[in-house]
Amino acid sequence: MANYAYLCATEVASLYPSSQLKGFDPQGGVVAHDVSGVPLLWLAMFRPADLVTGVFTLDEDDLDDDEEAEVEATAPLAAKERALAQLDAALPVLNALFAAEGPLDAHAALLRQAVEKAPGAFVTIELDEIEGIWEEEGTFQPTLRAALAGLDGSLDGGLDDGTRAAADRARLIELSRLRPGRPFPSARLIVDGTEAGDDDYWNLVRLLGTSFAAEVPWETPAATA
């Protein structure tokens, strides 16, 4: 069974809008999605202060015998303008951390297009399914918080720059499931129909995600016009 992450845009500030907001329309509200990881540039839109915790009541029909009706969950949530500003601010950090793989400015520009086009004033990531498959229980949220802090260089202040950078890079790779050590694929890889290897297509999705219901500009030529 696949485990998904969803990048969502909403009219009101809400965690897990697909289940918590009445009338949520995935056609426009889900910007993109991914399987088994959280794309790198989605993470770049958030910082630790954007991690919000909520308590949710589950439908009793969906519960197993040993499950509680109420669950607590933490996920990133930010106003769209803030999220896009933080994406821009994270680019120099990401370009330094992934200097061997190449710059991400063009990729971030396409993600910005998709987020700006989506209706709503807030952006969030539904990632409980990813947290649920994390290998070591209780480590996902600390890793996520540390990764977001690293985007501002605000973690591990007692470490030398090289050690801190290596730790920041490793956390982002673990969350996004990137395959490092090869040049990042062109942001227009799919749009331009460029011939590429499986690792290139894999990494493009780990950077940006893929379409869910609405078109995304890194996959559909018409969306780039």
Side-chain angles (χ1 to χ4, degrees):
M1 178 178 176
N3 292 75
Y4 294 93
Y6 301 91
L7 178 63
C8 300
T10 66
E11 292 291 350
V12 298
S14 173
L15 298 181
Y16 294 95
S18 65
S19 62
Q20 301 302 310
L21 278 186
K22 185 177 180 179
F24 177 79
D25 180 11
Q27 178 68 42
V30 177
V31 180
H33 77 297
D34 195 8
V35 179
S36 301
V38 184
L40 179 67
L41 291 173
W42 296 11
L43 295 170
M45 291 191 288
F46 302 96
R47 300 295 184 272
D50 302 316
L51 292 174
V52 178
T53 300
V55 177
F56 305 94
T57 302
L58 303 179
D59 189 326
E60 292 186 0
D61 294 336
D62 296 333
L63 297 175
D64 294 331
D65 292 338
D66 59 344
E67 286 187 306
E68 298 290 335
E70 289 190 342
V71 297
E72 184 177 276
T74 300
L77 172 66
K80 184 183 287 187
E81 289 185 5
R82 172 183 170 90
L84 292 175
Q86 290 179 156
L87 173 64
D88 293 342
L91 273 177
V93 177
L94 291 177
N95 286 342
L97 291 177
F98 294 93
E101 287 81 10
L104 289 166
D105 302 70
H107 305 77
L110 293 183
L111 179 60
R112 169 180 276 277
Q113 284 183 33
V115 172
E116 287 178 334
K117 180 181 178 182
F122 297 89
V123 183
T124 186
I125 304 175
E126 298 194 358
L127 41 63
D128 58 322
E129 293 184 21
I130 307 304
E131 182 171 0
I133 60 171
W134 206 250
E135 290 186 2
E136 188 175 346
E137 187 175 353
T139 61
F140 178 85
Q141 288 293 336
T143 301
L144 175 63
R145 184 173 293 274
L148 300 186
L151 293 170
D152 279 337
S154 58
L155 188 76
D156 297 335
L159 301 178
D160 66 79
D161 289 344
T163 303
R164 183 177 64 236
D168 291 341
R169 175 184 161 95
R171 281 186 287 263
L172 292 167
I173 290 171
E174 186 177 15
L175 287 164
S176 64
R177 299 187 68 220
L178 277 166
R179 293 174 181 170
R182 59 185 292 118
F184 282 142
S186 165
R188 293 178 55 86
L189 175 67
I190 296 173
V191 173
D192 291 342
T194 305
E195 187 173 337
D198 289 344
D199 284 345
D200 296 311
Y201 289 106
W202 174 279
N203 275 348
L204 185 65
V205 174
R206 303 312 163 206
L207 291 171
L208 291 166
T210 189
S211 62
F212 180 75
E215 295 176 345
V216 291
W218 55 93
E219 293 181 352
T220 307
T224 64

